[in-house]
Amino acid sequence: MHPRRILHLVYLLCTCGPALLIAQDGVVNGRIRTADGPAEFANVLLLAARDSGVVKLELADAQGRFTFTGLDSASYFVRTTGIGIPQRDHPVFTLAAGEQLTLPDYLLESAATDLETIEVTATKPFLEQKAGRLVVNVDQAITGQGGSVIDLLKKVPGVVVTGNRISMAGKTGLTILIDGRPTRYLDVNSLLRDMPADNIKSIEVISQPGAAYDAEGGGGVINIVLKKNSLLGTNGQVYVGGGYGQRPKYRSGLELSHQAGGLNLTGGLSYNRREWVEGLELVRRFDDRTFVQRNKEYGTPNSYQLRLGADYDLSERHRVGINGRYSFGDSPNSGTNRTDVLNPGTGEIRQSFTTLRNRSRDFDNLNLDAYYRIQLDTSGQELTFDGSLNTFTRDTRTTLVTQGAEFNDRLNVEPSEAKIYSAKVDYRRPLGDAYVFTAGAKVSRAALDNELLAREQINGVMEIDRNLSNRFQYDEDIEAAYAALAWEQDDWSANVGLRYEATRMEGYNVTIDSTNVRDFAQLFPSLSVNAPLAGSFGVSLAYSYRIERPSYYDLNPFITYIDPITFTKGNPFLQPELIHSGQLSVTYDKQPFLNLGYDFTTDIISDVTEQDPVTGVAFQTTVNLDRYVRYGGSLFFPLDWVAKPVSGYGGFMLYYNDYTSDYLGGNFAQDQLSLTAFAQVDVRLPYEWKLQVSGFYQGRGLDGIIRYDPLYGVDAGLEKDLLDDRLNLVLSAEGIVQKFFTGTINYQEQDLDVRSTWEAPIFTAKLTYNFGNRFLKGRERRGSASEEEKGRLGD
């Protein structure tokens, strides 16, 4: 069967078929009262009589009524508790298959103590080291909240953002996921720049992904986790924000959620206008002349986003959900590039010209995801179906007008469309008390179509440039299957997995009727072992084999001009890179402490520059370098020991980078030891103000053929809650101390200096008003399960 038909069949089964498996289950109704009337909003737990395990948790309504649905035939008992209500277990009862049982009213005694107010504080650590990943709870960060996802990425230890360049411990090529979904088919830089930080719950740095994850990710995997509703009742927030660096920034949004019984609804609207400024300076030296190019670019993007989601428990064992996100907007920008051609000895200007570039871009992005989860029995056996659709369209129009030199004006029109489908099924089965077996399969298809209509002004008339005009279509089909076995005993655990992925990539150049096809299949093993070390210390060892496929934008052969003699272009002949990765980690109280890692990569995908010494034309493209070796480690340490009102973390990363390749007719061999340092300090100030200061230092490094100098930055912010925590005020300053990116390229006939700049500092303010059930006295506390109960419920 053709892979496309298999994809459609699996997608249909994942999104529709499981509904046929729903069974009719039992129902239990009841009511609880006190001497003063109904015990409104008390916690009501249903427990299994055989082992006292929590089966389900409900919140009594204003009349004290509760209902449990989707129950198996078994013996149960009810436990009631709440503020002012002591915990009490009620008599055991037996429910027959499909029975609808109404229990007698439960009369409860009120506690003697009248509690006026109760404050419950439970704060997650900013950093959490979990199995195979570091979780950064960025929703607790003060700095970065007034901006976009790009600003929050700066909160991740070791991640450095310089313009459109994102690196971790000096290495670029990161794989970005959003709620586990890949973004490599999309314009990820624009996506991250336009997505508001307010929607983000946490950012996960997945160092050693297991077999259940896609094998994609050579430079590291970063998963951006969106916020989801976890509060009972109806809740929401409205926020406004603004800021200024060299250009103004505005943002506003509304978030709503409702959770009652088995229904959980979420929704949100947001608007973001974050104007930006970026600079790029190039000095390119030849024997007979030197080119000095200074480019300043201004962006005025407007983006709108709508989010809707619903989860529903059809019964105790059947849950369905659908989530949708639609964003649209425009992202125009304009740039001015001045080029001076100098005599190398005297610095005398031989020629000067200025290029004005204007670009308009309209875009829209739709993401739909549906899932169906079935708990097959009470032992934890589970089956999950998932299907998703992601579409992205973009219409770009770019004009180049050059003054002071004989270069023709240009107009490029680039319509673009991408559609990505995926469907997967995952199975989980505990084997006894210590082992868990998981397995699954996934199919995905990406279909992309991009056209370049290039025009050049000749004799006052815009004519088609047939040398540049092109249409490029790209299809990619991936079929995958995996199996893994996990073992856990006391503080010991291990996980071994194997993933199989078969990939077909087809790039079709419509203009010249040329097709480039690649078919390849790989096995990707993974292994991790965790063990106690001494006291609060633990140790883990992990290995994985990974793949990094070239992105669509790297494969796209189109040319994008900065000015008439400087441009970027894709490379349709790129090969995937393959990575062996190992890591040894030491944790303290399950928090990150010491990590040692080793990566060996073949056919590494790297950005490079090339230039023509005769014409002076230079361009940036992407190539495969033969080999890349990287090893080193990181050290984290908490700052809680400094003083009681002070908390936070700090750390260092030290890595050795070594590139070897035959490139441009020479033997490229460069290495560099690179240091990254970072810290975040949180201080509780008088009058319940919170202060946060964070900073980074990225030492001298190597990224492919470019060597870069040290850079650093410092951010600071203040936060205060007002009106009984309903109103939240955040003031922040990003880049109050900033060293910009500078680097050099000296290889073959290239002698090049580069300097990249961006807005700094940027001052922002954000005001958020929260409303809903969570602010009714005791409501959130009474309607929340304990951590132990949540764990046993599997949420």
Side-chain angles (χ1 to χ4, degrees), residues 121-394:
T121 302
T123 303
K124 286 184 178 181
F126 186 73
L127 301 179
E128 291 184 279
Q129 183 68 58
K130 296 187 177 182
R133 69 188 191 277
L134 173 67
V135 180
V136 186
N137 294 304
V138 292
D139 60 341
Q140 299 183 32
I142 298 175
T143 56
Q145 286 295 329
S148 65
V149 177
I150 286 286
D151 300 294
L152 285 187
L153 283 173
K154 300 174 184 177
K155 307 295 126 188
V156 178
V159 169
V160 176
V161 180
T162 54
N164 289 330
R165 182 181 180 273
I166 304 173
S167 64
M168 176 176 289
K171 188 178 188 305
T172 56
L174 302 179
T175 296
I176 305 294
L177 309 177
I178 297 179
D179 272 347
R181 305 282 183 257
T183 61
R184 70 187 190 89
Y185 305 107
L186 310 177
D187 186 351
V188 65
N189 286 322
S190 297
L191 184 67
L192 298 180
R193 191 196 295 271
D194 295 335
M195 181 179 289
D198 313 272
N199 297 339
I200 310 305
K201 174 188 175 184
S202 62
I203 297 177
E204 300 176 341
V205 182
I206 307 172
S207 55
Q208 298 293 328
Y213 285 89
D214 290 346
E216 187 81 27
V221 178
I222 291 181
N223 184 32
I224 298 169
V225 181
L226 303 179
K227 289 180 179 178
K228 295 180 176 62
N229 178 39
S230 60
L231 297 173
L232 294 172
T234 302
N235 299 277
Q237 65 174 220
V238 59
Y239 61 86
V240 293
Y244 197 88
Q246 298 178 39
R247 290 293 180 97
K249 296 95 173 55
Y250 313 99
R251 66 187 313 101
S252 61
L254 169 68
E255 302 288 335
L256 289 172
S257 67
H258 177 77
Q259 184 177 157
L263 179 64
N264 186 5
L265 300 174
T266 58
L269 288 167
S270 65
Y271 167 72
N272 184 27
R273 180 183 176 92
R274 187 173 175 83
E275 300 187 27
W276 51 267
V277 178
E278 291 182 358
L280 178 64
E281 299 177 13
L282 301 174
V283 179
R284 302 188 290 116
R285 302 177 185 87
F286 297 91
D287 292 338
D288 59 341
R289 62 203 187 284
T290 298
F291 289 85
V292 179
Q293 299 168 264
R294 298 179 179 89
N295 182 71
K296 203 76 168 182
E297 192 167 2
Y298 305 87
T300 56
N302 294 276
S303 64
Y304 305 82
Q305 189 174 98
L306 169 66
R307 296 187 299 113
L308 295 172
D311 300 274
Y312 184 65
D313 292 328
L314 298 170
S315 68
E316 176 63 23
R317 295 186 181 178
H318 298 265
R319 173 177 290 182
V320 296
I322 184 168
N323 295 279
R325 185 176 70 251
Y326 177 67
S327 59
F328 66 96
D330 56 74
S331 184
N333 65 66
S334 59
T336 301
N337 183 285
R338 176 183 170 88
T339 299
D340 293 328
V341 184
L342 311 178
N343 288 323
T346 64
E348 179 186 358
I349 298 178
R350 293 167 48 177
Q351 182 185 23
S352 280
F353 57 90
T354 300
T355 299
L356 305 177
R357 184 178 62 162
N358 287 282
R359 186 184 72 175
S360 63
R361 191 191 67 169
D362 299 328
F363 67 90
D364 65 82
N365 175 220
L366 173 66
N367 177 264
L368 293 174
D369 178 77
Y371 75 90
Y372 191 99
R373 188 176 71 191
I374 307 169
Q375 294 180 352
L376 299 175
D377 55 30
T378 58
S379 70
Q381 189 176 192
E382 189 174 276
L383 191 63
T384 303
F385 301 86
D386 192 297
S388 70
L389 166 67
N390 199 351
T391 68
F392 185 84
T393 61
R394 185 180 67 178

Side-chain angles (χ1 to χ4, degrees), residues 381-575:
Q381 189 176 192
E382 189 174 276
L383 191 63
T384 303
F385 301 86
D386 192 297
S388 70
L389 166 67
N390 199 351
T391 68
F392 185 84
T393 61
R394 185 180 67 178
D395 288 310
T396 305
R397 181 185 180 93
T398 306
T399 61
L400 268 76
V401 177
T402 301
Q403 302 169 347
E406 296 298 324
F407 293 107
N408 294 329
D409 296 345
R410 287 192 169 274
L411 168 64
N412 285 357
V413 179
E414 296 180 65
S416 176
E417 182 180 72
K419 293 181 179 179
I420 302 100
Y421 310 85
S422 71
K424 66 175 183 174
V425 57
D426 296 284
Y427 173 72
R428 180 181 185 274
R429 180 187 178 98
L431 303 174
D433 295 332
Y435 293 91
V436 175
F437 172 75
T438 55
K442 178 180 179 179
V443 290
S444 66
R445 176 173 178 78
L448 303 102
D449 191 346
N450 197 1
E451 187 171 9
L452 169 61
L453 301 172
R455 291 181 172 87
E456 183 179 15
Q457 189 176 59
I458 300 176
N459 297 324
V461 179
M462 280 291 181
E463 297 185 2
I464 291 290
D465 186 344
R466 302 193 182 278
N467 293 322
L468 292 184
S469 294
N470 204 340
R471 185 178 179 186
F472 184 66
Q473 296 175 334
Y474 176 77
D475 293 334
E476 181 179 88
D477 294 288
I478 301 176
E479 300 172 5
Y482 76 91
L485 183 65
W487 168 79
E488 185 172 356
Q489 189 73 42
D490 298 324
D491 292 331
W492 292 79
S493 64
N495 190 303
V496 59
L498 184 65
R499 185 178 185 89
Y500 170 80
E501 289 192 357
T503 305
R504 175 182 173 84
M505 303 166 61
E506 180 176 312
Y508 177 48
N509 192 321
V510 179
T511 305
I512 61 175
D513 191 22
S514 173
T515 302
N516 186 16
V517 178
R518 299 188 190 92
D519 281 293
F520 53 91
Q522 295 281 150
L523 287 172
F524 299 97
S526 60
L527 172 67
S528 65
V529 179
N530 301 276
L533 194 60
S536 298
F537 287 93
V539 64
S540 66
L541 183 65
Y543 164 79
S544 63
Y545 185 45
R546 312 287 296 161
I547 187 173
E548 180 74 18
R549 300 177 182 89
S551 75
Y552 167 72
Y553 290 95
D554 289 335
L555 291 168
N556 189 334
F558 295 176
I559 288 177
T560 302
Y561 279 98
I562 298 175
D563 63 34
I565 60 171
T566 316
F567 58 88
T568 63
K569 70 174 183 177
N571 179 3
F573 302 104
L574 281 173
Q575 299 293 326

Side-chain angles (χ1 to χ4, degrees), residues 19-161:
L20 302 176
L21 301 176
I22 302 174
Q24 297 295 322
D25 298 312
V27 178
V28 171
N29 299 293
R31 186 173 65 170
I32 52 178
R33 299 183 292 110
T34 68
D36 299 325
E40 58 178 0
F41 308 118
N43 283 328
V44 186
L45 288 80
L46 184 69
L47 297 92
R50 59 184 176 86
D51 60 1
S52 297
V54 177
V55 177
K56 198 163 186 179
L57 167 69
E58 288 292 344
L59 188 70
D61 63 17
Q63 286 73 45
R65 296 188 179 92
F66 62 88
T67 300
F68 296 112
T69 60
L71 302 177
D72 294 333
S73 173
S75 294
Y76 303 96
F77 68 93
V78 170
R79 174 178 295 167
T80 53
T81 184
I83 292 180
I85 300 174
Q87 179 175 302
R88 180 178 175 185
D89 292 342
H90 301 278
V92 173
F93 61 89
T94 300
L95 183 69
E99 181 182 2
Q100 294 190 7
L101 177 65
T102 300
L103 300 172
D105 289 0
Y106 294 142
L107 181 62
L108 309 179
E109 295 180 359
S110 299
T113 304
D114 184 14
L115 301 177
E116 186 66 26
T117 59
I118 290 181
E119 180 180 357
V120 179
T121 302
T123 303
K124 286 184 178 181
F126 186 73
L127 301 179
E128 291 184 279
Q129 183 68 58
K130 296 187 177 182
R133 69 188 191 277
L134 173 67
V135 180
V136 186
N137 294 304
V138 292
D139 60 341
Q140 299 183 32
I142 298 175
T143 56
Q145 286 295 329
S148 65
V149 177
I150 286 286
D151 300 294
L152 285 187
L153 283 173
K154 300 174 184 177
K155 307 295 126 188
V156 178
V159 169
V160 176
V161 180

Side-chain angles (χ1 to χ4, degrees), residues 608-610 621 623-626 661-668 705 747-748 750:
V608 297
T609 59
E610 298 181 16
T621 188
V623 300
N624 289 109
L625 301 179
D626 295 341
S661 183
D662 290 328
Y663 174 58
L664 287 182
N667 181 22
F668 175 73
I705 68 171
Y747 179 69
Q748 295 295 81
Q750 297 188 80

Side-chain angles (χ1 to χ4, degrees), residues 749-787:
E749 296 183 351
Q750 297 188 80
D751 184 358
L752 171 67
D753 294 341
V754 57
R755 184 172 186 261
S756 177
T757 61
W758 51 92
E759 276 187 285
I762 298 175
F763 301 95
T764 61
K766 179 188 171 189
L767 195 63
T768 304
Y769 180 76
N770 299 280
F771 57 89
N773 262 9
R774 60 175 296 192
F775 293 99
L776 298 180
K777 186 179 294 184
R779 178 76 59 87
E780 184 180 6
R781 176 63 186 91
R782 289 197 297 261
S784 301
S786 68
E787 290 302 316

